[in-house]
């Protein structure tokens, strides 16, 4: 048997955890640049705030219902996610962190049939140790776990936040109450195709012939989904990807950018972030991709699919040093820049990652340049313990008018000394 542990309205839960006065208040969290609603607590859902709804569209409704609104605080959410996952690992040895707020787990064989009690105990431990509410779905396969978890969240009072589907009767009832749109692994296009074929719920899909599913739902991928719905595990827990094959850092600008200097500042900042990520996994990059997203639509109206332009470079020597990556990135920005154009976004992608231990040395390296590694380590330590960009390169700029908007940002309660929650 397997389980999925899913944090309830995770971003909102993190905000509420350090603001007890908001426990009964509707809360929403906004996307980058405070654009759209990306997390809603149950109270916010009840008053009609739509997921992915534009913030400006719901301002009046938010004000009318005294909704607490927050910018995305990724430092806080990342740290709380780590605490939840580390707590889960004390309950079971086999854990696959699926996303920032979800994880699959194998239930120990010693539990036998006491799955409901095991789930409730796990839920109690996680909520007591971290303060984050979770819902748990338990079933023979990953797909059925997702079905159980969705139903547990849908009826928190009835299920108590834990739902086990371990018999044919329970599986049938759960699948009958799951629309094809809500099946994990069924995308929008497949959902439309299934509905056109008269398949409206998961139970009807389960009863389709395997050959029909193979032909109409992506071959072996669809067959695996069908077998998982039948209770035969096809998707095993996976080990976490410790070493990434590609590192990217990209952001929408807080306001449109037209000046070359501001584009270079943004890309230098993103290069610094990417370099930090590479050093964190002891890797160096040998290939760089810099890209800009422009919007030259008449009257500066935003269009749905703005143009993205790229420039690439193979680095002469694989590196994770911030200064080297910035030095190679700046000419690429100049190459892409078009005077008079308006830019909405920029980014950098590092690939061709190699372990730092097998990095090719440079016979002609200047004396003293080897100390750059110690400098990078010192910068990383200061920025991690004090604040992002506490120490940075001048090419990343000071005023940064292009910086992402976070007007409603909460403190980093768990990761910055000066922002720790005060208790009186």
């Amino acid at each position: 048997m397997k389980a999925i542990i899913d944090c309830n309205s995770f971003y909102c839960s993190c905000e509420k955890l350090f603001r007890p006065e908001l426990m009964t208040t509707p809360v929403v969290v906004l996307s980058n640049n405070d654009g759209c609603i990306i997390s809603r607590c149950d109270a916010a859902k009840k008053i009609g705030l739509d997921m992915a709804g534009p913030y400006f569209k719901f301002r009046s409704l938010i004000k009318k219902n005294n909704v607490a609104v927050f910018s995305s605080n990724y430092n806080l959410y990342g740290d709380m996610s780590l605490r939840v996952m580390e707590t889960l690992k004390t309950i079971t040895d086999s854990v696959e962190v699926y996303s920032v707020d979800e994880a699959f787990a194998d239930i120990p064989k010693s539990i036998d049939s006491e799955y409901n009690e095991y789930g409730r105990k796990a839920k109690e431990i996680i909520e007591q140790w971290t303060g984050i509410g979770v819902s748990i779905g338990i079933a023979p396969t990953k797909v059925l776990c997702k079905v159980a978890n969705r139903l547990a969240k849908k009826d928190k009072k009835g299920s108590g936040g834990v739902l086990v589907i371990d018999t044919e009767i329970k599986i049938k009832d759960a699948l009958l109450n799951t629309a094809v749109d809500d099946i994990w692994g069924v995308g929008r296009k497949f959902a439309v195709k299934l509905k056109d074929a008269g398949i409206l719920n998961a139970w009807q899909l389960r009863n389709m012939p395997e050959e029909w599913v193979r032909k109409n739902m992506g071959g072996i991928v669809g067959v695996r989904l069908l077998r998982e719905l039948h209770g035969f595990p096809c998707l095993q827990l996976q080990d976490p990807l410790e070493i990434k094959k590609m590192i990217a850092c990209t952001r929408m600008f807080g306001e449109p950018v037209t000046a070359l200097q501001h584009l270079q500042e943004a890309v230098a900042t993103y290069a610094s972030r990417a370099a930090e990520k590479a050093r964190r996994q002891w890797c160096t990059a040998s290939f760089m991709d810099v890209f800009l997203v422009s919007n030259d639509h008449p009257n500066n109206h935003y269009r749905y699919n703005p143009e993205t332009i790229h420039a690439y470079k193979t680095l002469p020597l694989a590196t994770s040093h911030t200064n080297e990556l910035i030095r190679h990135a700046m000419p690429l920005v100049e190459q892409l820049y078009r005077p008079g154009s308006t830019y909405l976004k920029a980014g950098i992608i590092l690939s061709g990652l190699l372990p730092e231990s097998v990095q090719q040395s440079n016979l002609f390296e200047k004396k003293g340049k080897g100390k750059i590694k110690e400098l990078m380590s010192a910068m990383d330590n200061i920025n991690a313990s004090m604040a992002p960009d506490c120490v940075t390169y001048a090419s990343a700029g000071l005023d940064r008018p292009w910086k992402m908007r976070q007007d409603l940002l909460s403190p980093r309660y768990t990761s910055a000394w000066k922002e720790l929650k005060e208790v009186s």
Side-chain angles (χ1 to χ4, degrees):
M1 293 289 283
K2 303 182 187 298
I4 186 168
I5 297 83
D6 186 7
C7 301
N8 300 330
S9 305
F10 180 57
Y11 289 0
C12 293
S13 296
C14 292
E15 300 292 354
K16 286 189 173 190
L17 181 60
F18 297 93
R19 295 279 300 277
E21 71 274 15
L22 298 179
M23 285 301 171
T24 58
T25 302
V27 173
V28 298
V29 175
L30 305 177
S31 63
N32 290 349
N33 288 310
D34 296 341
C36 300
I37 296 171
I38 58 170
S39 183
R40 310 162 295 163
C41 68
D42 290 341
K45 295 175 186 178
K46 289 179 181 178
I47 64 176
L49 295 175
D50 297 336
M51 187 64 169
Y55 177 42
F56 74 88
K57 179 180 176 181
F58 292 100
R59 280 183 187 274
S60 58
L61 185 60
I62 286 171
K63 186 176 181 180
K64 179 181 177 181
N65 291 276
N66 296 316
V67 179
V69 184
F70 294 93
S71 301
S72 295
N73 187 340
Y74 298 118
N75 291 93
L76 176 62
Y77 308 150
D79 187 67
M80 292 309 303
S81 173
L82 179 63
R83 296 183 186 209
V84 170
M85 302 309 169
E86 290 301 314
T87 300
L88 179 58
K89 289 175 184 177
T90 67
I91 302 170
T92 178
D93 294 331
S94 183
V95 175
E96 176 193 338
V97 179
Y98 180 66
S99 68
V100 70
D101 62 345
E102 288 180 285
F104 287 102
D106 276 331
I107 296 181
K109 294 181 179 179
S110 59
I111 299 302
D112 195 15
S113 60
E114 300 299 324
Y115 302 123
N116 196 279
E117 181 180 345
Y118 175 83
R120 296 190 184 282
K121 185 63 176 178
K123 175 179 169 68
E124 179 185 340
I125 291 173
I126 293 170
E127 292 180 352
Q128 183 179 21
W129 288 16
T130 68
I132 301 297
V134 298
S135 295
I136 299 177
I138 299 175
T141 69
K142 278 186 170 183
V143 172
L144 289 176
C145 281
K146 292 286 284 188
V147 169
N149 180 258
R150 179 185 168 276
L151 295 174
K153 295 183 79 169
K154 191 175 180 180
D155 182 21
K156 291 189 181 73
K157 290 185 178 180
S159 65
V162 177
L163 183 63
V164 179
I165 51 175
D166 56 347
T167 65
E168 278 299 311
I169 294 176
K170 291 180 181 179
I171 290 174
K172 180 178 180 180
D173 183 62
L175 296 183
L176 282 170
N177 286 282
T178 302
V180 289
D181 315 65
D182 298 321
I183 303 173
W184 185 52
V186 176
R188 185 178 302 173
K189 291 184 179 179
F190 276 137
V192 172
K193 193 173 185 178
L194 290 171
K195 289 178 181 178
D196 289 342
I199 303 169
L200 304 179
N201 60 52
W203 179 251
Q204 291 175 315
L205 176 58
R206 170 182 150 135
N207 292 328
M208 293 301 292
E210 186 172 301
E211 283 307 310
W212 186 93
V213 172
R214 185 188 300 274
K215 181 180 178 181
N216 293 278
M217 294 191 66
I220 190 63
V221 175
V223 172
R224 286 174 183 164
L225 172 61
L226 182 66
R227 292 179 180 176
E228 288 256 328
L229 288 173
H230 277 276
F232 301 114
C234 296
L235 305 171
Q236 302 302 324
L237 266 63
Q238 299 178 358
D239 294 329
L241 184 62
E242 300 291 348
I243 304 298
K244 297 178 181 179
K245 296 181 179 180
M246 184 179 294
I247 292 174
C249 186
T250 173
R251 296 283 189 278
M252 289 289 290
F253 298 135
E255 58 183 50
V257 169
T258 58
L260 174 61
Q261 178 187 343
H262 292 157
L263 287 175
Q264 290 178 319
E265 290 177 359
V267 171
T269 300
Y270 304 153
S272 300
R273 294 274 190 279
E276 289 173 3
K277 293 179 181 180
R279 292 194 291 270
R280 207 174 297 149
Q281 65 177 41
W282 308 101
C283 280
T284 57
S286 56
F287 190 78
M288 173 185 292
D289 171 7
V290 172
F291 67 89
L292 304 176
V293 178
S294 63
N295 180 37
D296 294 332
H297 198 63
N299 299 321
N300 203 32
H301 289 306
Y302 179 81
R303 58 183 178 181
Y304 180 71
N305 190 24
E307 181 186 9
T308 302
I309 51 178
H310 294 260
Y312 311 94
K313 181 167 186 177
T314 299
L315 303 181
L317 187 67
T319 183
S320 62
H321 298 162
T322 302
N323 60 319
E324 289 294 318
L325 293 175
I326 291 176
R327 182 169 66 85
H328 291 296
M330 292 302 97
L332 298 183
V333 180
E334 291 184 27
Q335 176 184 327
L336 293 173
Y337 177 68
R338 297 182 301 213
S341 290
T342 300
Y343 297 93
L344 307 175
K345 183 179 182 179
I348 185 168
I349 302 172
L350 302 180
S351 57
L353 301 185
L354 302 170
E356 197 177 61
S357 57
V358 298
Q359 181 182 7
Q360 179 68 46
S361 298
N362 187 347
L363 179 64
F364 303 103
E365 189 174 67
K366 294 180 181 180
K367 185 177 180 181
K369 197 173 180 181
K371 293 184 178 180
I372 190 69
K373 185 175 181 179
E374 286 74 17
L375 174 61
M376 294 296 105
S377 178
M379 284 180 59
D380 290 346
N381 288 333
I382 293 171
N383 290 333
S385 60
M386 301 298 291
D389 296 330
C390 184
V391 179
T392 187
Y393 282 83
S395 55
L398 297 175
D399 296 333
R400 300 184 180 183
W402 46 266
K403 191 175 181 182
M404 181 175 68
R405 288 196 307 274
Q406 290 179 299
D407 298 333
L408 304 166
L409 188 65
S410 59
R412 294 165 295 164
Y413 296 110
T414 62
S415 56
W417 286 107
K418 293 183 179 179
E419 298 175 33
L420 293 177
K421 182 69 174 179
E422 293 185 6
V423 180
S424 56

